Amino acid sequence: MKIYKHFLVKNRCYKKAAKFYKGKPVGIIVHSTGCVNKNVTRYVDDSTLGKVSPNHWNKPTISKCVNAMVGWADKKKDVVAVYTLPDSYRPWGCGSGKKGSYNSSYWQFEICESTTTDTKYFKKAYRVAVLLVANMCKKYNIPVSKVISHAEAHRLGYATDHGDADSYFKHFGKTMNDFRADVKKLL
Ligand SMILES: [Zn+2]
């Protein structure tokens, strides 16, 4: 898997440059975008990957940001991962729950969603996400038990009430337990 780097330097979150509570992530949150657009260039303005959407996130008017994006790169004819914030930066990804926010300690990424019947894309995107997370777990000694979805982070009290990425996975018969098991196989 090739991981690209294209930091969203004009995004408000990047500009704030707040670091994780411990200087490095202690967990990982898996998000999915919740809208049907598999193109990574919907969010990342890297024209070497594909046609950039005017709604991309590299602008000061955008108040959300994650550490990486997984999606289709039309010019590479493949699903890719792109780092969009440095590993040590707090993302603006999961909001807050009743106990606080995992934005202060969890590295976060989004999987771009395609249609709920696009199994071919899902399989590739899921695989890239597993590889990306396994890399991060190795790099920062993060236990697989600390790899959770946005929905799980909400249930723990540290994120807004969203259903992702479980809501996307379920259309293809996958759960977060499957995801963690697949990551574990690579560690
Ligand atoms: Zn989410």
Side-chain angles (χ1 to χ4, degrees):
M1 174 190 52
K2 175 108 174 71
I3 307 181
Y4 295 87
K5 189 194 283 187
H6 186 88
F7 291 157
L8 303 179
V9 296
K10 294 178 197 150
N11 186 288
R12 285 181 55 221
C13 177
Y14 183 95
K15 285 192 177 215
K16 188 157 190 223
K19 305 292 191 323
F20 283 124
Y21 166 62
K22 293 195 169 172
K24 65 184 184 68
V26 300
I28 293 171
I29 295 179
V30 185
H31 295 266
S32 64
T33 53
C35 72
V36 182
N37 190 336
K38 67 179 180 177
N39 295 307
V40 77
T41 48
R42 159 67 181 79
Y43 305 93
V44 181
D45 61 328
D46 183 343
S47 58
T48 68
L49 298 177
K51 188 170 180 281
V52 174
S53 161
N55 299 320
H56 69 79
W57 283 4
N58 195 12
K59 48 180 91 166
T61 48
I62 304 288
S63 302
K64 49 195 169 184
C65 202
V66 285
N67 299 90
M69 300 285 315
V70 168
W72 179 254
D74 209 38
K75 287 192 181 164
K76 307 290 177 189
K77 294 288 167 227
D78 206 356
V79 174
V80 301
V82 185
Y83 290 126
T84 44
L85 285 177
D87 289 353
S88 61
Y89 277 33
R90 290 182 188 203
W92 289 354
C94 68
S96 297
K98 59 179 187 281
K99 293 185 189 168
S101 174
Y102 275 159
N103 282 343
S104 62
S105 50
Y106 276 54
W107 189 89
Q108 300 178 36
F109 74 103
E110 292 268 1
I111 301 170
C112 296
E113 293 188 19
S114 182
T115 63
T116 55
T117 52
D118 190 352
T119 306
K120 196 176 164 197
Y121 167 78
F122 175 80
K123 280 185 175 168
K124 283 188 176 183
Y126 179 90
R127 187 64 191 160
V128 169
V130 166
L131 289 165
L132 179 71
V133 167
N135 275 353
M136 287 301 293
C137 286
K138 282 183 203 165
K139 201 168 172 185
Y140 295 104
N141 267 316
I142 297 168
V144 176
S145 59
K146 296 268 189 191
V147 176
I148 59 175
S149 65
H150 186 163
E152 289 173 323
H154 171 69
R155 288 200 285 276
L156 292 167
Y158 294 92
T160 50
D161 188 4
H162 283 211
D164 60 297
D166 313 61
S167 51
Y168 181 46
F169 284 8
K170 73 167 189 234
H171 296 289
F172 307 94
K174 292 286 187 192
T175 64
M176 279 305 293
N177 284 336
D178 296 325
F179 189 83
R180 281 182 283 270
D182 289 332
V183 170
K184 202 162 196 173
K185 281 180 206 155
L186 299 177
L187 301 179

